[in-house]
């Protein structure tokens, strides 16, 4: 008579590889399945050798990907590997990213902005999120999937990939980076005449 056996995984996740098959003889130490938890992923960022001194463990990072244009993913630098890649002259920073909606997948490529410590009285965001019309600066804040709010902001300084916003945003709000210019174009078509982005 045939029998059935239950194999329990030590973690919740998705089976991404199966080494076992019916009738195959395996040893106790042989791996049967590979199970991963896709709700938390590691991003590996190539940091130029000359910029490593300005980055510390715990620094805030925002990752954007062209294939997920309506969302940015926040994390912190967990570690900096202790070696320089001799071909690219970069050092790898490892960043843990939350992925509750499973929009990130392994081996995707994107861009990262290392924000560092947020100054008192302001919020640091990726520079790519800032849009301008008639010298008025604004960002698109994500309220829910496919729903965005135009928010006027004050930006006294922009440094490299980051921008300091002193009014118009609260810490923790999600702003659009990749795809922000497209949203601006659509907004101009429909709302700019009604004062959506005019000077206040």
């Amino acid at each position: 008579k045939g029998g059935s056996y239950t194999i329990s995984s030590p973690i919740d996740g998705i089976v991404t590889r199966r080494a076992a098959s019916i009738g195959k003889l395996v040893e106790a130490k042989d791996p049967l399945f590979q199970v991963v938890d896709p709700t938390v992923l590691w991003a590996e960022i190539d940091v130029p050798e000359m910029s490593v001194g300005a980055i510390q463990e715990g620094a805030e990072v925002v990752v954007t990907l062209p294939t997920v244009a309506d969302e940015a993913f926040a994390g912190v630098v967990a570690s900096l590997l202790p070696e320089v890649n001799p071909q690219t002259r970069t050092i790898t920073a490892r960043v843990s990213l939350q992925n509750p909606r499973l929009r990130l997948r392994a081996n995707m490529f994107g861009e990262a902005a290392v924000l560092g410590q947020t100054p008192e009285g302001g919020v640091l965001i990726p520079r790519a999120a800032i849009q301008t019309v008639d010298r008025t600066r604004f960002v698109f804040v994500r309220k829910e999937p496919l729903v965005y709010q135009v928010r006027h902001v004050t930006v006294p300084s922009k440094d490299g990939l980051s921008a300091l916003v002193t009014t118009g945003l609260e810490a923790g709000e999600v702003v659009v980076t990749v795809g922000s210019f497209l949203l601006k174009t659509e907004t101009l078509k429909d709302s700019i005449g009604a004062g959506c982005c005019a000077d206040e």
Side-chain angles (χ1 to χ4, degrees):
K1 291 183 178 181
S4 63
Y5 300 89
T6 299
I7 301 175
S8 299
S9 169
I11 64 169
D12 294 333
I14 297 174
V15 175
T16 58
R17 188 175 303 164
R18 186 182 74 174
S21 59
I22 296 176
K24 180 180 179 180
L25 186 64
V26 296
E27 299 289 339
K29 61 179 175 34
D30 292 342
L32 304 180
F33 300 92
Q34 177 177 284
V35 180
V36 300
D37 177 9
T39 60
V40 180
L41 296 180
W42 286 104
E44 294 190 345
I45 302 170
D46 294 329
V47 180
E49 181 180 4
M50 298 298 293
S51 301
V52 169
I55 299 175
Q56 298 179 347
E57 292 184 5
E60 295 182 22
V61 177
V62 175
V63 176
T64 56
L65 302 94
T67 51
V68 191
D70 62 339
E71 187 171 356
F73 300 87
V76 297
V77 175
S79 62
L80 289 164
L81 299 192
E83 63 179 355
V84 176
N85 185 310
Q87 280 75 45
T88 63
R89 306 310 304 176
T90 59
I91 293 176
T92 299
R94 301 190 74 213
V95 177
S96 177
L97 297 177
Q98 298 297 316
N99 186 34
R101 297 195 294 150
L102 307 185
R103 304 192 75 189
L104 295 175
R105 296 176 183 273
N107 301 316
M108 280 182 161
F109 286 90
E111 296 182 347
V114 181
L115 306 182
Q117 293 184 342
T118 301
E120 228 178 287
V123 178
L124 281 173
I125 64 172
R127 185 174 181 175
I130 306 292
Q131 297 297 326
T132 305
V133 172
D134 294 334
R135 293 178 296 179
T136 297
R137 290 170 175 168
F138 59 95
V139 298
F140 292 95
V141 177
R142 182 177 179 272
K143 305 305 290 184
E144 57 184 87
L146 301 180
V147 177
Y148 308 95
Q149 180 184 57
V150 176
R151 193 79 61 77
H152 293 196
V153 293
T154 302
V155 187
S157 67
K158 292 188 284 186
D159 180 20
L161 293 175
S162 62
L164 173 64
V165 174
T166 54
T167 64
L169 278 179
E170 298 291 335
E173 290 188 301
V174 177
V175 296
V176 178
T177 51
V178 178
S180 180
F181 183 79
L182 179 61
L183 284 174
K184 169 186 170 180
T185 302
E186 293 301 315
T187 300
L188 289 173
K189 284 181 183 178
D190 301 331
S191 304
I192 192 67
C196 165
C197 306
D199 291 326
E200 292 183 335

